[in-house]
Amino acid sequence: FQNCENLKNIQMPAGITVIGTNAFYGCDNLTEVYYGGTAEQWAALGEDVPVATYIHYNCETSENHWAADHLDPTCTEAG
């Protein structure tokens, strides 16, 4: 996603185990990440997102959700 200026939000399942170095570098318009795992799991990935990005943890998704941007995930914790 590096230097993807049009990226505003992203949905990531808890099964993600590695995010490449600087994956979100230059994604200055990224404001929200919906992550299926916990805050601890996200921290273990070691990836930084732009300062203004809000990380939503424990977001449940369905196959339909991944294909439909207009549906909101259900999150149990916001970080």
Side-chain angles (χ1 to χ4, degrees):
F1 305 109
Q2 193 173 46
N3 295 315
C4 185
E5 295 177 9
N6 293 325
L7 184 64
K8 295 180 181 178
N9 62 63
I10 189 166
Q11 302 153 344
M12 301 172 62
I16 298 285
T17 57
V18 174
I19 298 177
T21 303
N22 294 321
F24 297 106
Y25 178 82
C27 299
D28 298 331
N29 292 312
L30 180 63
T31 58
E32 295 186 281
V33 173
Y34 295 93
Y35 179 59
T38 64
E40 292 78 18
Q41 288 170 309
W42 177 261
L45 293 173
E47 181 55 39
D48 289 326
V49 293
V51 173
T53 304
Y54 192 78
I55 311 293
H56 301 270
Y57 302 104
N58 298 315
C59 295
E60 296 177 14
T61 60
S62 67
E63 286 184 29
N64 291 336
H65 175 74
W66 295 113
D69 292 338
H70 65 280
L71 298 177
D72 291 327
T74 300
C75 301
T76 58
E77 177 184 351

